[in-house]
């Protein structure tokens, strides 16, 4: 009959998880999922901002094809009437359900989360979402503020709850309805945290004593970073607690003690998220659906925690583009369950269980634009065809190839052992590559550098990441016809993964990089 799909997408989550080797974070439930999954350690979003990233992976098209780099257009009207992943599952007999933030709300999903095209019933949004940016954070003076760092007493919150708690409750309710009705389902659950404000139940702070929190390994702006590449984190500057610090624009820096508090709260929000994921997966077990449901877990992009003197997303660095990505496929990533056997028992983050090791880990560079094809293949549906060079007129196609071929990690190891290659260029062409991009209004940081509107975009940073390097070129961009001029390069970046894993030493000007340029050009201008 084909498998059900539980698609979990998290807002602004970089891979700070035990299963990704983070020694500080407590994420036992996500680690438990990883221990039954194939985990991709080099997975990247197509653009490090919510709406463009989500529209990209939900349609299987890159931002240059959705023509969405900001929040203010709906692809079906603005670019082409593209089918979406949930729409495709719906057309193939699935009940498709959306809970929380899946599509970015607003214009970019036609104020309806693309209902009725993508979903069988109207999407669910938590009723308390509307208080997200209100003054709900109690300051030391006892007054309420709209802060960035915002541990709260949940009982004092409007309606006595938080949005992600409501989303988990609704997702569990829907799982039980699907079980009762014996309906095949595609259930997408979008969690808000650790998106800012970092508002979470205050007890999670206990997991992260401030004295254990370090600064980023590289909290300075790199000397050779082109100014066009820098994001001035304007969204966090607007929060009451950051405003009170009077930090200079654009480079800051934030005071060390406040940096530690942000990092502490980000981790606490991740553990709060882990609890929600644990409750949801436990309910999948309770409903007896773990043996017939594919679970995919990912995020729309990462988030800088002080690296390069930056906060938030809005860049082409790994900290902003790299995401967790794991697939649990019954009978494929794990053997089938015996009757009544549990695979996802809830684990309490407060009585932390030692980290579990992923079932399989692939180092291939992969992209979120491949999710559509991958999930179609895993569910036994026909994989959407690869898009032609220009695909604005094609309703169903994908610009991301399925990555199911990478699921057998032992084969990947065998492939790595193959000695040498006769034709260097051919080998070079065969390496796995992930592409990301970011728009800027100018060569230097402006008040709108993080989120320029389409009409203000003047430069586009195209970035390719392989296992060995990240290469980025910032080129002239014309918003009126969505075209980039690769002969007008404003700046470039090149970082070697092995010697510079944090991407602090830009060697673009030190070496000849014609072969990298040829490669990025070959891909972006077919």
């Amino acid at each position: 009959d084909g498998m059900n799909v539980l698609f979990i997408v998290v807002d602004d989550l970089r891979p700070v998880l035990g299963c990704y080797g983070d020694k500080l974070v407590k994420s036992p439930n996500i680690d438990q999922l990883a221990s039954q999954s194939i985990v991709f350690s080099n997975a990247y979003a197509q653009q490090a901002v919510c709406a463009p990233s989500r529209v990209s992976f939900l349609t299987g098209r890159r931002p240059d094809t959705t023509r969405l780099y900001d929040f203010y257009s709906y692809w079906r009207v603005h670019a082409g009437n593209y089918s979406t992943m949930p729409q495709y599952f719906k057309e193939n007999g699935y009940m498709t359900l959306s809970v929380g933030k899946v599509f970015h709300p607003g214009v970019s999903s036609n104020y309806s989360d693309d209902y009725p095209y993508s979903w069988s019933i109207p999407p669910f949004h938590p009723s308390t979402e509307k208080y997200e940016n209100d003054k709900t954070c109690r300051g030391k003076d006892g007054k309420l503020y709209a802060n960035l760092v915002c541990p709260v007493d949940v009982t004092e919150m409007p309606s006595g709850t938080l949005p992600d708690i409501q989303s988990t409750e609704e997702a569990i309710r829907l799982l039980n309805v699907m079980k009762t009705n014996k309906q095949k389902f595609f259930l997408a659950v979008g969690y808000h945290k650790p998106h800012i404000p970092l508002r979470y139940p205050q007890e999670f702070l206990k997991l992260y004593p401030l004295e254990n929190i370090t600064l980023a390994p590289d909290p300075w702006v790199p000397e050779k970073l082109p100014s066009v590449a820098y994001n001035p984190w304007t969204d966090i500057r607007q929060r009451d607690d950051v405003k009170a610090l009077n930090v200079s624009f654009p480079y800051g820096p934030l005071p060390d003690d406040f940096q530690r508090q942000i990092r502490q709260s980000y981790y606490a929000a991740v553990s709060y998220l882990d609890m929600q994921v644990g409750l949801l997966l436990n309910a999948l077990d309770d409903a007896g659906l773990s043996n017939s449901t594919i679970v995919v877990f990912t995020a729309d992009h990462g988030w800088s925690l002080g690296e390069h003197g930056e906060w938030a997303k809005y860049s082409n660095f790994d900290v902003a583009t790299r995401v967790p990505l794991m697939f649990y496929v019954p009978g494929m990533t794990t053997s089938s369950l015996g009757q009544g056997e549990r695979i996802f028992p809830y684990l309490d983050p407060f009585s932390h269980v030692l980290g579990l090791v992923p079932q399989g880990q692939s180092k291939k560079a992969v992209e979120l634009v491949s999710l559509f094809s991958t999930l179609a293949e895993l569910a036994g549906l026909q994989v959407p065809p690869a898009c032609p060079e220009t695909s604005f007129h094609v309703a169903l196609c994908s610009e991301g190839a399925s990555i199911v071929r990478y699921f057998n990690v032992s084969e990947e190891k065998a492939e790595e052992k193959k000695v040498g290659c006769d034709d260097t260029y051919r080998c070079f062409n065969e390496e796995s590559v992930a592409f990301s991009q970011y728009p800027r209004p100018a060569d230097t940081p402006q008040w709108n550098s993080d989120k320029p509107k389409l009409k203000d975009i003047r430069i586009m940073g195209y970035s390719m990441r392989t296992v060995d390097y990240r290469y980025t070129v910032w080129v002239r961009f014309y918003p009126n016809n969505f075209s980039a001029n690769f002969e007008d390069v404003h700046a470039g970046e090149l970082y070697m993964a092995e010697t510079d894993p944090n991407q602090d030493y830009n060697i673009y000007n030190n070496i000849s990089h014609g072969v990298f340029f040829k490669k990025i050009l070959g891909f972006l201008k077919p």
Side-chain angles (χ1 to χ4, degrees):
D1 279 356
M3 296 260 183
N4 303 311
V5 177
L6 173 58
F7 180 71
I8 304 171
V9 58
V10 184
D11 216 341
D12 292 18
L13 178 67
R14 58 191 261 165
V16 288
L17 298 163
C19 53
Y20 277 85
D22 193 290
K23 299 283 185 279
L24 189 62
V25 81
K26 295 181 171 50
S27 53
N29 294 288
I30 298 167
D31 298 348
Q32 177 170 253
L33 173 63
S35 75
Q36 304 292 335
S37 301
I38 170 88
V39 174
F40 286 88
S41 54
N42 281 303
Y44 299 90
Q46 273 45 74
Q47 192 181 320
V49 70
C50 308
S53 172
R54 289 164 186 266
V55 167
S56 172
F57 67 68
L58 288 162
T59 61
R61 318 282 182 123
R62 298 180 187 281
D64 281 348
T65 309
T66 65
R67 293 186 161 171
L68 181 70
Y69 314 103
D70 58 16
F71 298 81
Y72 308 106
S73 64
Y74 179 43
W75 77 94
R76 291 187 191 273
V77 173
H78 190 72
N81 190 17
Y82 312 142
S83 295
T84 68
M85 173 165 53
Q87 179 182 356
Y88 188 58
F89 275 82
K90 185 178 162 207
E91 286 162 359
N92 279 280
Y94 281 73
M95 183 83 174
T96 58
L97 309 156
S98 172
V99 172
K101 185 175 172 182
V102 180
F103 278 100
H104 195 282
V107 188
S108 61
S109 58
N110 204 31
Y111 297 101
S112 67
D113 297 76
D114 198 45
Y115 175 77
Y117 294 101
S118 287
W119 311 108
S120 305
I121 60 173
F124 169 85
H125 286 281
S127 61
T128 59
E129 207 176 274
K130 58 180 172 289
Y131 309 115
E132 198 56 2
N133 294 307
D134 288 8
K135 296 188 175 198
T136 53
C137 323
R138 201 165 291 289
K140 289 197 173 81
D141 57 7
K143 292 183 187 157
L144 291 177
Y145 294 93
N147 285 344
L148 169 65
V149 172
C150 187
V152 296
D153 177 342
V154 177
T155 61
E156 290 182 356
M157 291 300 100
S159 307
T161 187
L162 289 170
D164 284 346
I165 295 171
Q166 290 184 292
S167 290
T168 301
E169 288 163 354
E170 175 64 8
I172 291 172
R173 187 187 74 79
L174 288 171
L175 283 177
N176 291 321
V177 170
M178 292 300 104
K179 186 203 173 175
T180 308
N181 297 350
K182 296 189 168 53
Q183 273 177 301
K184 195 162 62 167
F185 63 84
F186 177 105
L187 169 60
V189 182
Y191 284 115
H192 278 266
K193 291 303 118 186
H195 193 287
I196 65 170
L198 297 168
R199 189 170 69 132
Y200 54 87
Q202 61 199 19
E203 57 270 24
F204 284 92
L205 271 179
K206 289 201 286 266
L207 295 173
Y208 302 100
L210 206 50
E211 59 270 22
N212 295 354
I213 307 295
T214 57
L215 297 182
D218 51 351
W220 62 88
V221 179
E223 200 184 319
K224 293 187 174 172
L225 181 71
S227 53
V228 68
Y230 183 80
N231 70 285
W233 33 279
T234 43
D235 61 346
I236 79 166
R237 292 170 190 272
Q238 289 152 22
R239 309 288 162 168
D240 290 348
D241 49 355
V242 180
K243 239 188 235 169
L245 298 168
N246 283 323
V247 181
S248 67
F249 185 90
Y251 295 108
L254 288 169
D256 288 3
D257 60 336
F258 194 73
Q259 292 194 35
R260 286 193 177 87
Q261 285 178 41
I262 298 177
R263 289 169 68 90
Q264 176 193 37
S265 275
Y266 187 91
Y267 282 125
V270 171
S271 292
Y272 159 58
L273 160 78
D274 182 78
M275 178 184 253
Q276 302 310 314
V277 172
L279 293 168
L280 177 59
L281 293 174
N282 184 62
L284 191 73
D285 259 3
D286 284 345
L289 293 167
S290 302
N291 229 350
S292 54
T293 303
I294 294 161
V295 181
V296 59
F297 178 89
T298 192
D300 54 358
H301 44 71
W303 212 79
S304 302
L305 283 167
E307 294 86 358
H308 315 112
E310 295 182 318
W311 300 88
K313 46 249 186 179
Y314 314 126
S315 82
N316 281 321
F317 280 121
D318 279 14
V319 280
T321 55
R322 184 169 167 244
V323 292
L325 178 63
M326 60 190 80
F327 297 86
Y328 160 77
V329 188
M332 185 179 193
T333 62
T334 181
S335 49
S336 287
L337 294 184
Q339 200 56 42
E341 198 184 331
R342 296 189 73 81
I343 196 158
F344 301 123
Y346 175 72
L347 302 175
D348 183 356
F350 291 94
S351 49
H352 184 45
V353 180
L354 286 174
L356 294 155
V357 180
Q359 182 65 33
Q361 199 148 19
S362 171
K363 290 192 170 71
K364 294 283 187 192
V366 297
E367 317 174 277
L368 291 186
V369 75
S370 294
L371 277 170
F372 190 162
S373 303
T374 305
L375 277 173
E377 182 173 346
L378 289 173
L381 304 180
Q382 199 169 352
V383 178
C387 290
E389 268 178 40
T390 51
S391 62
F392 296 107
H393 58 292
V394 184
L396 180 67
C397 69
S398 174
E399 292 180 329
S402 166
I403 57 173
V404 174
R405 65 190 187 283
Y406 297 150
F407 276 37
N408 189 337
V409 179
S410 55
E411 272 177 30
E412 186 179 314
K413 289 199 178 85
E415 204 178 289
E416 279 167 18
K417 281 187 191 131
K418 282 184 199 159
V419 186
C421 219
D422 314 332
D423 172 0
T424 320
Y425 189 69
R426 188 175 61 78
C427 295
F428 193 56
N429 259 355
E430 280 172 6
E431 68 189 329
S432 56
V433 184
F435 288 88
S436 303
Q437 60 191 100
Y438 212 85
R440 294 282 188 238
D443 286 300
T444 52
Q446 314 285 313
W447 63 271
N448 63 338
S449 286
D450 294 348
K451 295 189 277 192
K453 291 186 171 171
L454 175 64
K455 67 178 174 50
D456 298 321
I457 299 171
R458 294 293 172 269
I459 300 161
M460 187 69 74
Y462 289 98
S463 191
M464 73 176 171
R465 179 68 156 89
T466 70
V467 171
D468 299 319
Y469 60 85
R470 178 176 284 288
Y471 177 72
T472 305
V473 281
W474 296 89
V475 301
R476 181 81 167 99
F477 185 82
Y478 302 96
N480 55 334
N481 63 359
F482 304 93
S483 70
N485 179 4
F486 283 85
E487 283 167 18
D488 187 356
V489 177
H490 286 228
E493 297 168 81
L494 176 61
Y495 307 100
M496 305 314 286
E498 198 175 332
T499 51
D500 181 20
N502 297 328
Q503 300 171 2
D504 294 321
Y505 303 99
N506 178 15
I507 58 168
Y508 180 85
N509 289 330
N510 308 19
I511 65 166
S512 138
H513 40 77
V515 69
F516 300 104
F517 190 67
K518 200 179 277 178
K519 182 157 188 184
I520 203 165
L521 213 57
F523 179 84
L524 294 165
K525 300 180 74 181

